[in-house]
Amino acid sequence: MADRTKLDLDPEVERRTLQLAGMDDDVLITGPSGSGKSALAQWIHAQSARRGKRFVVQNCGAIPKGLEESTLFGHERGAFTHAHQAADGIVRAADGGTLFLDEIGELPLAVQVKLLTLLQEHSYRRVGSVDDLHASFRLIAATNRDLLELCNQGRFREDLYHRINVLPIALRPLRDAPERAMRIATEIVKTSTMSPERAAHVLSAVQRLARHLAAWPGNIRELGTFVKRCQLDEVKDAERWILAEWARRRTSESAERLTAFTPSVSPSLADRKRYAGMIHELAGRGARPKAAVSRKGSLELASRLLDVYPEPLSLDEVQAVLGARDRRTLDGNVDLLERHGLIEKIAHGIVALWPPATSAVFGRHQGVWRPAGSGEILSLASGDRVRIELTSKCAGTLGVLLVTHGSGGSQVPTVLVEGKELLASKPTALEIELDDVGGIEQFLLHVGPSARRGGSLVEPMLDEAIMPDSAALERGRRMVLDQWGEGWLAEHLVFHMQGK
């Protein structure tokens, strides 16, 4: 019998399922991975007139390549290499009962033709045989793919699609039914051995997570895994783990991708001049060393460091660039630049410490500010506060622009900070409270004076059409550059959920 936990259906889907359970036509169940298609197919069989017969399951995506026809229809002895004896296929096993073909879209076209013939004529041939065999069964097919789109691509036969799409049932992803997620979680918790106190914490976590914009990409299967994990780990740790999983996940459900942006640099001429100015200013503060006082030498050193960034520049090259006559003068220059955070000494020379500013975003967790890890996007609710910390290695001005990416692709820019003075090497912290408009918040930090900003696109880490794609995010970045001109640019993204 199917797990009743996985049959918590929408009222309309439940009504339709009850109607077709008593019929004998073929059924096509569509829905994302983990949405309960297999459990629903088993329940339909249990309610049908064939319930006393076998329910045969075959995942078409799990059949070894080249053995699809043999697996379905069987083969004669010697029909192919290693066919040392004859074998019946799953069609013979399902005769009189129900055949459940999961992921039917994975069947090769040649096998689809023979399946169509079987459904229409109720006859088939084993591989290597000329004799017709007969079979009568009810087919329930399932897929998490768009079969009609596969037809358009020539990867699924349209005649077979119309033949199996007699009684279609579509299961929604769990993220579209937060109340269903709560009901399923409640049933899972009831069958567990966890204490009532922990069960309450788990259900509270599920309620929070169900409001997430990218909730439960693995649907019921993932929800069950999360509840089980809460039996082993602290609920807060399990919640943090699954949020990190969602932030990194990629899927084929949407062609659009959220492309994250990392603060980086493209060493332009403006970058070199700015970096050279920092070197020149430091070198001119004392009587020694004097080799880096030359503006020309400072610019050339900055250029060479940024040309090879992030590779090291050898000390011999540094000495030649600065025109230092002795090692003592060279060492003095290098020590000075290292003490002020412009370079770092390594075994084979020096490397530039660039960009000229660094930033981090923090979310509050149990009363403590916790920084977002690499590749992590915080998930916060309206009324929560975001903390951004920035340290600049040079004096300048700070501008902060918030771009909210709402539903329908709307983008709303808001200037949070403008013209704030920055002191060299002095940390600056900002706290922003999220309003009642949910979406993806794009925090953009601009450090002037004018210099060409840099940025590099990294591998997509998030998905779903509800997320802004890379073009939308780039429009947000252009907004901040249009507002304050060119400069070093950093960015942080935050999931903003409405309500606590």
Side-chain angles (χ1 to χ4, degrees), residues 246-249 257-258 377 460-464 467 495:
W246 293 352
R248 293 174 56 83
R249 188 177 181 276
R257 295 288 187 267
L258 172 66
I377 295 180
M461 293 184 295
L462 295 169
D463 48 42
E464 302 295 327
M467 304 294 181
F495 280 116

Side-chain angles (χ1 to χ4, degrees), residues 172-369:
R172 292 193 300 163
L174 205 56
R175 67 172 176 272
D176 292 343
E179 69 287 344
R180 185 183 178 212
M182 280 300 297
R183 291 196 300 267
I184 292 173
T186 301
E187 290 300 317
I188 297 175
V189 166
K190 285 180 181 178
T191 61
S192 72
T193 58
M194 66 179 68
S195 67
E197 182 180 3
R198 175 167 290 234
H201 287 315
V202 171
L203 293 178
S204 295
V206 171
Q207 188 173 34
R208 286 192 299 271
L209 291 167
R211 293 196 298 265
H212 199 291
L213 292 174
W216 312 118
N219 296 289
I220 299 172
R221 189 181 295 119
E222 184 182 37
L223 174 59
T225 299
F226 172 75
V227 174
K228 292 176 182 177
R229 187 163 186 145
C230 288
Q231 291 183 262
L232 302 174
D233 301 335
E234 291 296 324
V235 176
K236 61 180 181 180
D237 293 334
E239 188 172 359
R240 188 180 301 122
W241 162 77
I242 202 168
L243 285 171
E245 288 280 302
W246 293 352
R248 293 174 56 83
R249 188 177 181 276
R250 281 175 277 183
T251 183
S252 60
E253 288 180 21
S254 170
E256 304 243 60
R257 295 288 187 267
L258 172 66
T259 305
F261 177 87
T262 180
S264 182
V265 295
S266 52
S268 63
L269 179 60
D271 289 330
R272 295 186 177 97
K273 287 181 177 179
R274 188 175 185 190
Y275 191 46
M278 296 163 67
I279 293 175
H280 180 72
E281 179 186 358
L282 286 173
R285 287 181 181 175
R288 291 185 58 86
K290 295 184 178 179
V293 172
S294 163
R295 187 172 297 276
K296 179 181 178 181
S298 301
L299 178 58
E300 187 173 351
L301 178 59
S303 295
R304 293 297 298 277
L305 281 167
L306 295 181
D307 277 341
V308 298
Y309 175 83
E311 298 300 320
L313 189 68
S314 72
L315 291 177
D316 289 340
E317 290 178 287
V318 175
Q319 186 170 359
V321 169
L322 294 180
R325 295 182 180 180
D326 55 66
R327 201 71 176 190
R328 181 180 177 186
T329 302
L330 173 66
D331 292 341
N333 276 279
V334 171
D335 289 343
L336 182 70
L337 297 177
E338 185 179 38
R339 284 200 307 272
H340 287 83
L342 294 177
I343 65 163
E344 180 180 7
K345 286 192 293 186
I346 61 173
H348 304 294
I350 63 174
V351 294
L353 290 181
W354 192 257
T358 57
S359 66
V361 64
F362 295 75
R364 205 163 182 81
H365 181 69
Q366 293 187 340
V368 178
W369 288 109

Side-chain angles (χ1 to χ4, degrees), residues 24 114 168 412:
D24 203 42
K114 297 187 176 183
V412 182

